[in-house]
Amino acid sequence: MRKAISILLAIAPLLALADAVRWGGATITNGGVYCSKPVDGNYIVQGAEIIYTNPETFETGYEGPEYYLQGYFSVSISGDTTTIKGVGHALSGSDVFVKMEMGEVISALTTFYSDEVFYRYGYLPEEEQNYEENFREIADYSIDIPSYSGEHFFLGFGTASYTVDGQPCLYGWLEIAVNGTELSIVNSAIGLNGQSMTVGLIPEPTTTMLLLLGLAPLALRRRLATSDPIL
């Protein structure tokens, strides 16, 4: 019995972890996007808008914690290369995107406080929101990727809630496919407790939890079968 209880206690944190991550749900819309600073004199350019926000239902409203990640990116093609660059922002709070590789860790250090970012808009965590002194709108580099190779790239991100005071910054990642000037989301994930995340890590929470939960009664049965008979 003690062994079965130990297994259940070991499973509990995994169940909590599964509930603390939202898998999927990010969207990309291709077309004209708004530039905060005009590109070649134009405020609207060919590009893509990324949005990652809470699911919403009529009955319950937004599922917590509340978040709204957003970014506008220009997308252009030259020869066989597609170039993607952060250009604008609209509704959300402080957001930052960083190009990352599978297996890298996403946290405040590797997003908000990274030396170079693919795109940043807003304030650093816990920073006084003084627009003239602290507000940042930065794109340190662009992303070049073969246009029709089928290659994907990853963006790690950090986002601060735009309506809820005291909520921690949230971190996650996007896997993006490129087809010419069209971008699409392959996979995405966001941690809901402000925890660090690992780029490209996609466990199957439901399947894994069912498997682990199935082990508990098996362990208990084995324990009972090997115990001395009750006389």
Side-chain angles (χ1 to χ4, degrees):
M1 180 62 74
R2 287 195 299 269
K3 187 172 183 179
I5 292 173
S6 297
I7 292 175
L8 289 173
L9 290 175
I11 290 172
L14 296 177
L15 289 168
L17 178 60
D19 291 339
V21 177
R22 181 184 175 201
W23 307 101
T27 62
I28 282 185
T29 302
N30 293 283
V33 296
Y34 170 75
C35 300
S36 300
K37 298 177 182 178
V39 176
D40 297 329
N42 298 313
Y43 280 96
I44 303 295
V45 297
Q46 172 64 34
E49 178 188 22
I50 293 177
I51 292 178
Y52 204 173
T53 187
N54 306 63
E56 183 182 15
T57 65
F58 179 76
E59 294 83 5
T60 62
Y62 286 104
E63 297 178 7
E66 191 169 356
Y67 57 92
Y68 193 99
L69 175 79
Q70 183 188 41
Y72 291 156
F73 305 92
S74 68
V75 184
S76 60
I77 188 169
S78 177
D80 295 328
T81 300
T82 294
T83 299
I84 306 153
K85 188 175 182 66
V87 294
H89 210 79
L91 297 175
S92 63
S94 299
D95 293 334
V96 60
F97 297 84
V98 179
K99 186 178 184 298
M100 303 183 79
E101 302 297 329
M102 181 178 289
E104 289 189 295
V105 175
I106 312 149
S107 65
L109 184 63
T110 56
T111 56
F112 286 105
Y113 295 101
S114 178
D115 291 336
E116 291 186 319
V117 297
F118 174 58
Y119 188 73
R120 176 187 290 132
Y121 180 95
Y123 303 93
L124 295 176
E126 301 180 0
E127 185 176 49
E128 180 185 358
Q129 296 192 12
N130 182 313
Y131 185 86
E132 293 184 356
E133 294 183 6
N134 298 327
F135 188 86
R136 295 167 178 80
E137 189 172 4
I138 302 169
D140 291 318
Y141 56 84
S142 58
I143 293 174
D144 293 325
I145 188 167
S147 301
Y148 300 101
S149 66
E151 289 187 26
H152 300 173
F153 68 92
F154 290 94
L155 291 177
F157 64 80
T159 182
S161 169
Y162 68 110
T163 59
V164 182
D165 292 333
Q167 177 178 300
C169 297
L170 304 181
Y171 304 96
W173 54 269
L174 309 165
E175 182 180 3
I176 300 174
V178 177
N179 184 20
T181 58
E182 298 290 306
L183 306 185
S184 59
I185 297 286
V186 179
N187 288 302
S188 57
I190 183 169
L192 302 180
N193 288 342
Q195 73 270 35
S196 60
M197 298 282 286
T198 301
V199 176
L201 181 63
I202 315 174
E204 298 180 11
T206 302
T207 303
T208 303
M209 291 309 106
L210 288 174
L211 177 61
L212 290 172
L213 288 171
L215 292 175
L218 290 176
L220 177 59
R221 184 187 306 173
R222 182 175 179 182
R223 171 66 178 168
L224 293 175
T226 57
S227 299
D228 293 335
I230 299 175
L231 300 177

